[in-house]
Amino acid sequence: MKNRWFKVALTIIFQHLTWTFGQPPQPVPPGSPPQSVFIDPKSFAVLGPNGPFRNSSFTQFFNPTSGKPPFIQIFDEAFLDILGPNPSIHEVASNPDFAFAHEAPVYVPDTDEVFFASNDGGALGNSDINHNNKVGKISMQAVEKALQGLKPGSGAAVNVSVTELDLPDTIQMTNGGTGPLGSSIVLITSGRGPLPPSIALVNPKAPHNVTVLLDNFFGRQFNSLNDIKIHPVTGDLFFTDPTYGFLNHFRPEPLMRNQVYRLDMAKRSVRVVATDFDKCNGIAFTPDGNTAYVTDTGANSGFLGNNQTAPATIYAFDVDPKSQAFFNRRIFAYTDTGIPDGVQVDAAGNVYAGCGDGVQVWSPEGTLLGKFFIETTSANMIFAGDGRLVIMAETKIFVAKIAAKEGKVSFP
């Protein structure tokens, strides 16, 4: 272990020296994690009057090593515990003409499959007010078979097949998912035109029968439901409702505030648990259910454009043990690239968010530990069991093999 950290220390010192003299920092030396680079925050704390400053968090990436994606950026040594000794990241599915892998990732252990939805109303989504988006799945067994024989750490790409599901018309513009809950996956939809946003249980096996759990708030339609999680203690459903359906031209003008709600599964009653967001988006809980994370993606405003002065922020909340309302709001993290969209928490409490350059990872205290850098937007990701992180990247899917264990998102 001492030898390993000695090598790490030498790497950081070497990078600092090479940056100082205008040369690009180098990847980690042999014996350190493959497909990784260490980037010491001290090495870019001062860039100088004529430094390579970024003007846009949406179009310019922080890639000082000029590494070729996909690879792993390490900003803090604690990230090594998440990665393990032999991490890898590979592209496993691709369709350059279709954003088939946008959001709603759900892993079903029984069949070893990951379900997901295509972009709803966005670029290459092939969906709009007249066309629903698609829900698809990939076999992780097929992924594992395709990855066999690849050179470790090569980052080589494979392309497994995607199977589209034939779902009933009650499922319109799927954007979020979680579970399984019992034998079903939970999908949350944004609605389309006059068709209401909803929460539904969907059988992951054909014929994929659907049970709608909720489609209104005391008679009013929601704006465009976005993301959803099951509380790890109570089993109730918590979900976000921003205005992206309207901003992406497939929903009417909003009728309510951007808020976070709870659906009591026993009573089927709904209440607001958090408000005062620009655009609440992703949601997740710590393993004990005492802390909730909600992303605010106000910097992305659909047809109104991007505004870098608006939120690109993850907020943390305490969860009231009785009412389950969220309180004691505080900033957990502010992302440097794009917006923090979907969010997941691993078994150790580390927080993962899909951002403008891939998946970024923070410690429970909010320290940025590292990134799974793919140089394109990831809206969400999911653990497919322990040690497999499946990353949605619009026209691509990536799988990272790491040491981290999944947080609890499925329930009997």
Side-chain angles (χ1 to χ4, degrees), residues 82 286 291 293 316 332 345-346 348-351 362-367 369:
I82 293 172
T286 53
T291 302
Y293 297 102
F332 176 77
V345 181
D346 69 18
N350 300 298
V351 179
W362 293 264
S363 72
E365 295 75 34
T367 298
L369 303 178

Side-chain angles (χ1 to χ4, degrees), residues 144-227:
E144 294 291 353
K145 184 177 180 180
L147 292 177
Q148 288 178 358
L150 293 184
K151 182 181 178 181
S154 66
V158 298
N159 196 7
V160 302
S161 61
V162 173
T163 302
E164 289 188 356
L165 277 62
D166 184 15
L167 298 179
D169 288 341
T170 48
I171 302 297
Q172 293 289 332
M173 294 298 205
T174 301
N175 194 82
T178 193
L181 181 60
S183 59
S184 300
I185 61 175
V186 182
L187 296 184
I188 191 166
T189 74
S190 295
R192 181 167 61 86
L195 300 173
S198 65
I199 300 172
L201 298 178
V202 178
N203 187 344
K205 300 178 181 179
H208 306 300
N209 43 300
V210 170
T211 301
V212 176
L213 298 177
L214 181 72
D215 68 0
N216 72 94
F217 180 76
F218 295 91
R220 283 191 289 172
Q221 288 192 15
F222 292 100
N223 297 322
S224 50
L225 298 181
N226 190 282
D227 203 359

Side-chain angles (χ1 to χ4, degrees), residues 4-5 8 33 36 38 74 76-85 403:
R4 178 184 182 188
W5 288 116
V8 171
S36 303
F38 282 88
I74 302 172
D76 190 288
E77 64 185 40
F79 200 36
L80 294 174
D81 294 329
I82 293 172
L83 297 176

Side-chain angles (χ1 to χ4, degrees), residues 76-153:
D76 190 288
E77 64 185 40
F79 200 36
L80 294 174
D81 294 329
I82 293 172
L83 297 176
N86 295 297
S88 65
I89 180 170
H90 294 273
E91 177 187 317
V92 299
S94 176
N95 184 343
D97 299 319
F98 181 33
F100 67 96
H102 175 58
E103 278 251 43
V106 183
Y107 174 61
V108 177
D110 287 350
T111 58
D112 201 19
E113 294 173 320
V114 172
F115 293 75
F116 44 83
S118 65
N119 196 307
D120 50 340
L124 297 179
N126 301 334
S127 58
D128 51 37
I129 195 169
N130 297 312
H131 302 90
N132 194 12
N133 72 335
K134 303 292 185 181
V135 175
K137 66 178 182 178
I138 58 171
S139 165
M140 293 305 296
Q141 293 180 8
V143 168
E144 294 291 353
K145 184 177 180 180
L147 292 177
Q148 288 178 358
L150 293 184
K151 182 181 178 181

Side-chain angles (χ1 to χ4, degrees), residues 1-330:
M1 181 63 73
K2 290 183 178 179
N3 288 337
R4 178 184 182 188
W5 288 116
F6 179 71
K7 291 180 179 179
V8 171
L10 288 178
T11 301
I12 293 173
I13 293 170
F14 179 68
Q15 288 178 344
H16 180 69
L17 290 173
T18 53
W19 280 31
T20 301
F21 291 96
Q23 299 174 18
Q26 300 299 310
V28 294
S32 296
Q35 281 187 269
S36 303
V37 294
F38 282 88
I39 305 174
D40 182 3
K42 293 179 181 178
S43 64
F44 59 88
V46 178
L47 295 179
N50 299 310
F53 296 102
R54 299 160 61 208
N55 293 318
S56 172
S57 71
F58 286 93
T59 62
Q60 296 175 306
F61 302 100
F62 185 73
N63 183 11
T65 64
S66 300
K68 181 180 179 181
F71 69 100
I72 300 164
Q73 293 179 334
I74 302 172
F75 297 101
D76 190 288
E77 64 185 40
F79 200 36
L80 294 174
D81 294 329
I82 293 172
L83 297 176
N86 295 297
S88 65
I89 180 170
H90 294 273
E91 177 187 317
V92 299
S94 176
N95 184 343
D97 299 319
F98 181 33
F100 67 96
H102 175 58
E103 278 251 43
V106 183
Y107 174 61
V108 177
D110 287 350
T111 58
D112 201 19
E113 294 173 320
V114 172
F115 293 75
F116 44 83
S118 65
N119 196 307
D120 50 340
L124 297 179
N126 301 334
S127 58
D128 51 37
I129 195 169
N130 297 312
H131 302 90
N132 194 12
N133 72 335
K134 303 292 185 181
V135 175
K137 66 178 182 178
I138 58 171
S139 165
M140 293 305 296
Q141 293 180 8
V143 168
E144 294 291 353
K145 184 177 180 180
L147 292 177
Q148 288 178 358
L150 293 184
K151 182 181 178 181
S154 66
V158 298
N159 196 7
V160 302
S161 61
V162 173
T163 302
E164 289 188 356
L165 277 62
D166 184 15
L167 298 179
D169 288 341
T170 48
I171 302 297
Q172 293 289 332
M173 294 298 205
T174 301
N175 194 82
T178 193
L181 181 60
S183 59
S184 300
I185 61 175
V186 182
L187 296 184
I188 191 166
T189 74
S190 295
R192 181 167 61 86
L195 300 173
S198 65
I199 300 172
L201 298 178
V202 178
N203 187 344
K205 300 178 181 179
H208 306 300
N209 43 300
V210 170
T211 301
V212 176
L213 298 177
L214 181 72
D215 68 0
N216 72 94
F217 180 76
F218 295 91
R220 283 191 289 172
Q221 288 192 15
F222 292 100
N223 297 322
S224 50
L225 298 181
N226 190 282
D227 203 359
I228 188 166
K229 285 294 191 308
I230 306 168
H231 190 274
V233 176
T234 68
D236 293 326
L237 299 178
F238 289 74
F239 56 97
T240 61
D241 185 35
T243 54
Y244 280 115
F246 169 71
L247 294 172
N248 285 323
H249 300 294
F250 65 83
R251 282 285 292 157
E253 290 188 10
L255 298 176
M256 294 188 289
R257 296 173 66 85
N258 294 315
Q259 300 181 127
V260 181
Y261 297 81
R262 181 199 69 174
L263 174 62
D264 185 312
M265 289 296 287
K267 298 179 180 179
R268 205 62 63 86
S269 61
V270 185
R271 64 161 295 176
V272 175
V273 294
T275 190
D276 296 331
F277 296 94
D278 188 321
K279 296 174 187 67
C280 51
N281 198 316
I283 185 169
F285 293 98
T286 53
D288 59 11
N290 293 333
T291 302
Y293 297 102
V294 179
T295 68
D296 191 330
T297 55
N300 181 350
S301 295
F303 69 81
L304 298 177
N306 297 324
N307 178 2
Q308 293 186 108
T309 66
T313 307
I314 305 174
Y315 294 104
F317 298 82
D318 294 330
V319 181
D320 186 272
K322 185 175 181 179
S323 69
Q324 296 187 282
F326 295 178
F327 69 101
N328 189 25
R329 169 176 168 154
R330 64 265 188 198

Side-chain angles (χ1 to χ4, degrees), residues 348-368:
N350 300 298
V351 179
Y352 302 61
C355 300
D357 53 4
V359 173
Q360 302 189 12
V361 185
W362 293 264
S363 72
E365 295 75 34
T367 298
L368 179 63

